[in-house]
Amino acid sequence: MTFFETYQTELITSLFTLIFLFIIRLISKKVIHKIGKKTGINDARIQLISRYSTVTLVLIALLVETFIFGAQLKDLALVFSSVFAVLGIALFAIWSILSNITSGVIMFFSFPYKVGDKIQIHDKDFPIEAIIEDIRAFQLHLRLDNGNLVTYPNNLMLQKAVTLVEKDAMDEGTDAI
């Protein structure tokens, strides 16, 4: 018997599963793009969130494929417990990076400020009043009135009180020229 004859059912099921997940990927990409455009988010952030959703779907596809080809839950539990033990140690070392990425995803869907807005961050140790120049995966780029560039971590943006001082200050500044 050949490989295809032996695993015919599994291969057909895998094909339908991959087609289904590919359709979900297309729909999620379209929804993310639509939400991003509707809320005025720049294309780089839309692409970043789209990549995050694609990676999540690939991981789901790998998990589903292992079940299709006959892996038992107890076998996967052993593999995942070993992998998560190693990842847990590694992720503990880089928790701040992960919190910034998570904050970046949250900010994509519910951040009330846009590039060009002038904001004030109410931090008792280092208060900032600046224009949002760019919103990235890990941090915001803020331009101070004196021209200095400040990178501010995304997770702190969600922890601190922020006030909108001036809507789209960059456009209004260029109109005066």
Side-chain angles (χ1 to χ4, degrees):
M1 264 205 241
T2 67
F3 174 79
F4 294 108
E5 291 172 351
T6 306
Y7 295 104
Q8 181 178 5
T9 307
E10 290 86 354
L11 291 172
I12 291 171
T13 306
S14 294
L15 180 65
F16 284 120
T17 302
L18 292 176
I19 289 171
F20 176 72
L21 288 173
F22 183 73
I23 291 169
I24 289 175
R25 179 183 170 268
L26 291 176
I27 291 170
S28 68
K29 209 170 180 179
K30 194 168 255 191
V31 167
I32 290 169
H33 188 74
K34 192 176 209 176
I35 289 171
K37 289 299 180 188
K38 180 179 164 189
T39 56
I41 295 172
N42 66 9
D43 289 335
R45 287 190 63 214
I46 293 170
Q47 293 300 323
L48 181 70
I49 298 300
S50 189
R51 271 189 240 129
Y52 288 162
S53 69
T54 300
V55 168
T56 302
L57 284 173
V58 166
L59 293 175
I60 290 170
L62 288 174
L63 182 64
V64 170
E65 287 299 315
T66 58
F67 283 118
I68 289 173
F69 279 96
Q72 299 297 317
L73 190 57
K74 63 180 176 150
D75 298 333
L76 287 179
L78 177 65
V79 170
F80 280 120
S81 65
S82 301
V83 168
F84 283 130
V86 171
L87 281 177
I89 293 167
L91 295 180
F92 179 74
I94 59 168
W95 69 270
S96 68
I97 292 173
L98 291 175
S99 74
N100 282 322
I101 291 173
T102 305
S103 299
V105 171
I106 292 169
M107 288 168 54
F108 177 80
F109 290 105
S110 64
F111 194 57
Y113 313 110
K114 307 284 182 268
V115 172
D117 290 350
K118 187 170 189 174
I119 59 170
Q120 182 179 15
I121 301 171
H122 304 281
D123 186 350
K124 73 175 185 175
D125 296 329
F126 187 61
I128 296 175
E129 186 170 316
I131 296 173
I132 300 174
E133 203 169 84
D134 195 8
I135 303 172
R136 300 206 170 189
F138 301 103
Q139 77 273 345
L140 273 79
H141 288 183
L142 303 172
R143 185 67 63 184
L144 299 176
D145 290 336
N146 65 5
N148 290 344
L149 180 69
V150 175
T151 56
Y152 202 79
N154 287 341
N155 62 348
L156 290 181
M157 279 301 290
L158 296 180
Q159 294 175 16
K160 304 289 181 185
V162 179
T163 304
L164 178 65
V165 176
E166 191 176 327
K167 192 94 174 130
D168 209 2
M170 287 170 57
D171 283 346
E172 290 174 10
T174 57
D175 289 342
I177 295 176

